[in-house]
Amino acid sequence: MRTERPCSHTSYEYPHSPYNIIPACRHKHYNTTFMALQHSFNDSFWHIVTETVFYYNKLHLTEKIFKPIIARRPFLLLSAPGNLAYLKSYGFKTFDCWWDESYDNYQNYDRIREIYKVISFIDKCSDNELQSMYNDMTDTLEYNYNRLLELNRK
């Protein structure tokens, strides 16, 4: 199963590069790990975010979920049940217009099965379908980016 597709730098690419998103990247001593991941962020349709907590009923989000938001990328959140709704409670939008997010309501193995269905759905999409889907969600991606900036100003 593939979750990352080889493509040109224009496929799935938002018109802003991480250099414009995170000004610190311009500094010559910036974290090289981020620079190494830049290619992966730009050439991937989405990000599967594996949060710290998955099996326990705990509403808990870490910096992991904010990486695709800063990069303006769609994501699938693998975390404890209810965390997608918890993220929405902070004013973020998710991707229920494009795939089934009911996995957020399931527990344990049922949850894993439902997540697998979403991953399989995306995997079966053609590159053209993914590009169209990505183009449709750019308003949501931009909104989430701006929402994160707004929350950081508070």
Side-chain angles (χ1 to χ4, degrees), residues 57-146:
N57 288 328
K58 182 178 181 182
L59 297 178
H60 179 74
L61 298 171
T62 68
E63 81 289 346
K64 296 173 188 122
I65 188 58
F66 301 112
K67 291 176 184 178
I69 291 173
I70 287 173
R72 295 176 173 110
R73 289 287 185 251
F75 55 84
L76 179 71
L77 182 60
L78 276 65
S79 61
N83 272 290
L84 202 55
Y86 185 54
L87 181 68
K88 288 180 180 182
S89 76
Y90 281 95
F92 290 98
K93 296 179 181 180
T94 60
F95 306 98
D96 53 356
C97 293
W98 296 280
W99 54 76
D100 181 11
E101 291 184 335
S102 65
Y103 67 86
D104 194 44
N105 303 316
Y106 287 87
Q107 299 279 335
N108 300 326
Y109 295 109
D110 292 332
R111 184 175 183 75
I112 293 170
R113 184 190 65 242
E114 295 304 312
I115 289 168
Y116 178 80
K117 287 179 184 178
V118 176
I119 294 170
S120 294
F121 166 74
I122 294 296
D123 186 55
K124 291 175 184 169
C125 291
S126 70
D127 286 345
N128 288 337
E129 290 170 322
L130 291 176
Q131 186 66 58
S132 177
M133 190 184 307
Y134 184 83
N135 292 341
D136 288 344
M137 62 177 60
T138 54
D139 288 344
T140 297
L141 299 170
E142 187 68 27
Y143 172 86
N144 284 343
Y145 173 78
N146 289 321

Side-chain angles (χ1 to χ4, degrees), residues 27-91:
H27 192 274
K28 67 180 180 178
H29 298 296
Y30 187 74
N31 184 339
T32 56
T33 302
F34 178 82
M35 301 305 286
L37 293 175
Q38 178 184 352
H39 175 75
S40 174
F41 269 86
N42 287 340
D43 284 350
S44 298
F45 168 72
W46 68 344
H47 294 275
I48 299 175
V49 179
T50 54
E51 273 293 358
T52 304
V53 177
F54 183 84
Y55 285 107
Y56 304 106
N57 288 328
K58 182 178 181 182
L59 297 178
H60 179 74
L61 298 171
T62 68
E63 81 289 346
K64 296 173 188 122
I65 188 58
F66 301 112
K67 291 176 184 178
I69 291 173
I70 287 173
R72 295 176 173 110
R73 289 287 185 251
F75 55 84
L76 179 71
L77 182 60
L78 276 65
S79 61
N83 272 290
L84 202 55
Y86 185 54
L87 181 68
K88 288 180 180 182
S89 76
Y90 281 95

